[in-house]
Amino acid sequence: MSENSPQTPSKETPNDDTPSNETPTNDTSRKEAPAEEVPINELLMTTTAIQEDEELANVVTAEEYLMRKDVVLLEYEKQMFLDMVQADGLLVCAKGLSFERVLLNILKAYSDTGNLVLVINSSDWEEQYYKSKLESKYVHEVANTATERERVYVEGGIQFITTRILVVDLLKQRIPIELITGIIVLRAHTIIESCQEAFALRLYRQSNKTGFIKAFSCSAEAFTIGYAHIQRTMRNLFVKNLYIWPRFHATVRSVLKPWEAQTIELHVPLTPSMTAIQTHILDIMNFLVREIKRINRTVDLESVTVENCVTKKFHKILQAQLDCIWHQLNSQTKLIVADLKILRSLMISTMYHDSVSAYALIKRYRGKEYALSNSGWTLLDAAEQIFKLSRERVFNGHQEFEPEPCAKWKPLTELLTQDIPGDMRRTHGANHMVQPKVLILCQDARTCFQLKQYLTQGGPRFLLQQALRHEVPVGKMSDKYAKEGQSQATPAPADKSSQKPIKSESELESSATASQMDELSQLLGNETDPADGQYFGESYMLTMTQLNPNANNIKDEPDVSIFESFPELEELDVSAMVTAHQQQPFICLQTFKTEREGAMALENMLEQLQPHYVVMYNTNVMAIRQLEVFEARRRLPPKERMKVYFLIHARTVEEQSYLTSLRREKSAFELIIDTKSKMVIPEYQDGKTDEAFILYRPFDNESGDIDSANAKSRQAGGQARSKTETPKVIVDMREFRSDLPCLIHKRGLEVVPLTITIGDYILTPEVCVERKSISDLIGSLNSGRLYNQCVQMQRHYAKPILLIEFDQNKPFHLQGKFMLSQQTTSTNADIMQKLQLLTLHFPKLRLIWSPSPYATAQLFEELKLDKPEPDAQQAVALGGGSELGEPGATIEQLQYNPAIYDFLLRLPGIHTRNVHSLVRKGGNLRQLLQRTQAELADLLQSQESGKLLWDILHVAHLPQKDEVAGSTALLAAGKQFGSGSHNRFRKAAQDSRRGRR
């Protein structure tokens, strides 16, 4: 930051966070100070003065900024902008209301080289979105080296930075903390006390009392999990203001209500087979829910209901309740949890997937292996009906292949071929030349691919392909199905994405079987097939190959393919494609979210395509609100607004799941509103005053605690006090992926980040700690890496420690399958035996079992009481080849052969205090054997140590019985001669060998 750069408001006024509410009065008065020495006319002619005047003239208030023509925000978005600019705070909005535009304008307002704004905790798609909308000269990429990052920080602008890099740079003071204008935190609902983001904010607020902190979140439900989640999050963010924007907010309703799109609900009835299967699956779920509550009467399972079992967030609810007591549950409960997840996947497959795929999935759970490892639901009559009905959906009464088409296929075809063209004629006239643009929204890539294949190839051909892919035996086809397949036109060329290799059914089944009966984290994990990401695309663009006047032919042959695909969609811009092919109707298949663009994918597609019609093939709360916001931005008259068609199975699990998600979000916002009305927020919570006790370091307090104060009062009345030095802990750079450095700093210890090769934490010159999580411990023991690490620690440190740390959200329990992580294989069964061998090999190694990082931080603090501080240079040099010498010696000592060093330490009488003297003065092993006992005692500086070493080198010792088990000769010699001389032992061994001959 140069001296001529404009001063940021956050550096001038502590209570003002905006770049706008400044007047140029104070600045010009400072600039006119040198006027006594230099003439004013000459000063005004300089380029610097002119530039400063122009910059000061451009300073506007937040309200004036919103009046600019290039700022297009809805009324509630303007209010969000004003709230967040005028004061620090946490903004929680409903899904789909999109605070992205608000944040984008905040970033634009601070886009200046005189400001340094950091954006943390952003996902990849969020970072790409904001970078594409901002001026590139103000957005800087994070450099790879520390020197380059220091230069980039000084240049100012806006930086999207990973929190791990930011924490290290803040600790090493590579970044000018006092010059940071502010920090913006995304996905604020994920900020917990021990996370890296909270660590960075604490370091920032300790040194910068004037910069702003603004946090954003669109997940109200996340704040309802746990006790006082919203208060704890605000405390970790150092903000005092909470802004709540639900969908039922009066301002939001007044903005969206006048511009509502035309919506048409089409209730599609389920087929009789699908209705029966849904009923039977719900019956089994109800039975399992009652069973799990009967078995665990003492566990709070209020949220485990059939209604929640079919919703998307069920696995998170169950994991939050059962994770901490998972090791206490019996095997039957664990089986029921696994089966509830399986039944939910069967329900989803029946409702949304085609009949062949659903049958292939259900058939997996009919095998012998799964029958022996489930809770018993497969033996129920309802389960037998599910298997029977699923097969009947694929094969008819004569066991001929005649799959049942999806219930929504026919209504979708009628919409595309009849209703939408008819509506276009009524709207634009019979002779109109406007071609319809239709956007079909699906819940996932699998459904998107299914519709694309159906529209381009027809239903029968697609179902046959699915049967071949899932290895369903087709056998004989029914006459009806064969006739429908032959009546199809030649299929259009498929997308490039569909040409990718397909995994066989056996591979999918083996992967599914491997993950069926794993522990809770794996039971409740991702539910999609591993091949989905490779096989299915997230977006397709289709067009009609026939004109609509042939509607009569379409009615006679509903499965005739009249659509073809654009395989170049990935390479082309959608808006450019629409412009180039204006005479063709467009049908775009799109998922609600994409991996590349996240939740902004739908908004981008709407802006580029500008569709006339939207078909909601699946229901989604966020997508519906994004459509509302898009229509409110366009502000079109009613006749020109897009029409939205909802294809929904009324009174089914699909409708119930949608209503449940709405109810959950509403209740979450009501809870947050109620919490805000009762919340007590201290004035010092923002950390901008010295009263923020959460930033106090107990070791900086000169008075200390009562006991230390009383003790010092006896020393000249407390007059001669020395300020307590802040304890330091050297932390390896790779350890900043964990929560422990944050918690160590929170307890008042100074964290020194360094790249060290021996140990993870250096507490004192003698204490070195190697931290291992459970999964890391298992991997290190199996690979032998932990043995080498312990060798290095014992060689260089007097008190090596192996810290085995458990997850704070998991039980402190090391028995059964749980301690073996997710892989319960035979290679992990001997973990305890390997730990025992480790302690035998390294007698000085101490094992510490910690239930959580919080307990570890407290332990480190206690271990450092009244202990000397570690030397950073020595800790770094130890891993670089230098060896540790005598206590108090320098690093430039003689270097020893590690093998000889370790061998000598294993001899009686030799330890770390005298081994260095022995290595320097003892010569070689031959010279050592020639020395007398008195000379050895002088070398080792101890008569007792000298006698022990001389005895081991010159006196023969008979081994104990247990040490020579299996050797008949040695056992016989031991029994006969006891502890006799070396010659007797040799004679007994020779006699034994002669007897064998």
Side-chain angles (χ1 to χ4, degrees), residues 509-524:
E509 189 166 355
S510 62
S511 63
T513 305
S515 62
Q516 274 175 12
M517 299 311 300
D518 214 334
E519 294 304 315
L520 184 61
S521 58
Q522 192 171 5
L523 287 177
L524 304 176

Side-chain angles (χ1 to χ4, degrees), residues 195-489:
C195 69
Q196 297 293 330
E197 288 77 18
F199 192 8
L201 292 173
R202 193 183 316 123
L203 293 171
Y204 163 68
R205 193 48 93 198
Q206 281 180 345
S207 303
N208 189 325
K209 305 294 185 182
T210 59
F212 66 77
I213 297 176
K214 304 183 190 301
F216 296 84
S217 174
C218 62
S219 179
E221 295 179 42
F223 291 107
T224 62
I225 300 174
Y227 175 73
H229 193 166
I230 191 76
Q231 294 98 315
R232 287 186 284 113
T233 302
M234 293 177 64
R235 187 166 61 246
N236 297 331
L237 291 169
F238 296 97
V239 295
K240 297 192 297 184
N241 299 310
L242 175 61
Y243 305 107
I244 310 170
W245 287 90
R247 173 61 180 84
F248 54 82
H249 195 287
T251 308
V252 178
R253 293 174 62 183
S254 63
V255 170
L256 300 182
K257 183 70 174 177
W259 310 103
E260 286 183 341
Q262 306 176 57
T263 57
I264 302 171
E265 272 195 33
L266 300 177
H267 290 181
V268 181
L270 292 176
T271 63
S273 300
M274 293 174 66
T275 305
I277 292 175
Q278 174 188 262
T279 304
H280 292 310
I281 291 178
L282 289 175
D283 288 343
I284 298 176
M285 280 186 167
N286 189 29
F287 168 76
L288 293 181
V289 167
R290 284 190 282 108
E291 190 70 11
I292 197 174
K293 290 184 177 180
R294 182 188 63 83
I295 297 174
N296 305 279
R297 296 184 183 276
T298 59
V299 181
D300 181 19
L301 298 173
E302 184 179 354
S303 61
V304 181
T305 62
V306 177
E307 180 185 4
N308 289 333
C309 285
V310 298
T311 56
K312 187 177 181 181
K313 299 292 182 65
F314 168 67
H315 64 284
K316 292 185 178 180
I317 298 173
L318 202 60
Q319 194 163 7
Q321 286 201 324
L322 299 182
D323 226 350
C324 56
I325 58 170
W326 183 251
H327 65 290
Q328 300 176 1
L329 303 177
N330 57 22
S331 58
Q332 184 68 9
T333 303
K334 297 179 180 180
L335 291 176
I336 292 176
V337 171
D339 290 341
L340 284 174
K341 177 177 178 289
I342 289 172
L343 288 169
R344 182 177 179 273
S345 66
L346 296 182
M347 178 73 76
I348 292 173
S349 181
T350 302
M351 296 293 297
Y352 302 122
H353 301 163
D354 58 273
S355 57
V356 177
S357 301
Y359 171 66
L361 179 63
I362 291 176
K363 193 175 66 170
R364 296 184 191 180
Y365 305 109
R366 194 74 188 274
K368 178 182 177 181
E369 292 184 2
Y370 180 73
L372 297 174
S373 60
N374 71 84
S375 60
W377 70 271
T378 54
L379 304 178
L380 299 175
D381 294 338
E384 188 63 31
Q385 291 297 318
I386 291 173
F387 296 135
K388 179 182 176 183
L389 292 169
S390 299
R391 181 174 178 81
E392 289 178 357
R393 294 184 66 201
V394 180
F395 300 95
N396 60 18
H398 302 287
Q399 299 304 311
E400 296 173 336
F401 185 70
E402 187 180 340
E404 178 182 273
C406 291
K408 291 184 179 180
W409 282 357
K410 186 177 179 181
L412 178 63
T413 305
E414 292 177 353
L415 270 180
L416 298 178
T417 59
Q418 299 176 24
D419 296 354
I420 290 178
D423 186 72
M424 290 291 291
R425 286 196 299 271
R426 289 191 297 271
T427 306
H428 301 280
N431 299 322
H432 70 91
M433 298 300 294
V434 180
Q435 297 296 337
K437 290 179 288 187
V438 183
L439 177 61
I440 303 176
L441 297 177
C442 310
Q443 65 176 358
D444 53 20
R446 181 174 192 145
T447 307
C448 198
F449 173 77
Q450 176 200 112
L451 291 183
K452 176 254 176 185
Q453 293 294 91
Y454 164 71
L455 292 174
T456 55
Q457 298 184 358
R461 183 179 291 270
F462 168 69
L463 292 174
L464 180 59
Q465 288 179 350
Q466 289 296 96
L468 297 176
R469 177 173 179 255
H470 293 289
E471 297 184 352
V472 175
V474 175
K476 182 182 178 182
M477 297 185 187
S478 66
D479 296 338
K480 178 182 177 183
Y481 179 80
K483 182 179 179 181
E484 290 177 352
Q486 292 174 359
S487 65
Q488 294 184 67

